[in-house]
Amino acid sequence: MKILYLLFAVFLLIFQATSGSADPLFTDTVECRSQGNFCRAGTCPPTFAATGSCHGGLLKCCSK
């Protein structure tokens, strides 16, 4: 029975989520956000214009 507690602790350490790995994987998303714009699914709000794509072309990059 004591081995189960040890195994449970090892599994928790192995499968835990790392907090610093939330970096965007797509270069177009990084470029859009670095210019102060935001990504959105569908059309941009009325006062914004679509200037590019995000998330590998699935989203639109909206800017003022």
Side-chain angles (χ1 to χ4, degrees):
M1 281 305 276
K2 290 183 181 181
I3 191 82
L4 289 177
Y5 293 114
L6 180 63
L7 242 117
F8 183 67
V10 169
F11 281 130
L12 281 177
L13 287 174
I14 290 174
F15 296 117
Q16 73 178 353
T18 56
S19 62
S21 66
D23 297 330
L25 297 175
F26 300 100
T27 55
D28 54 354
T29 304
V30 173
E31 183 179 341
C32 178
R33 292 189 179 171
S34 68
Q35 296 172 357
N37 304 331
F38 63 94
C39 300
R40 183 172 175 151
T43 59
C44 296
T47 58
F48 294 89
T51 57
S53 65
C54 294
H55 205 69
L58 297 174
L59 304 175
K60 293 181 180 174
C61 180
C62 300
S63 66
K64 268 247 184 227

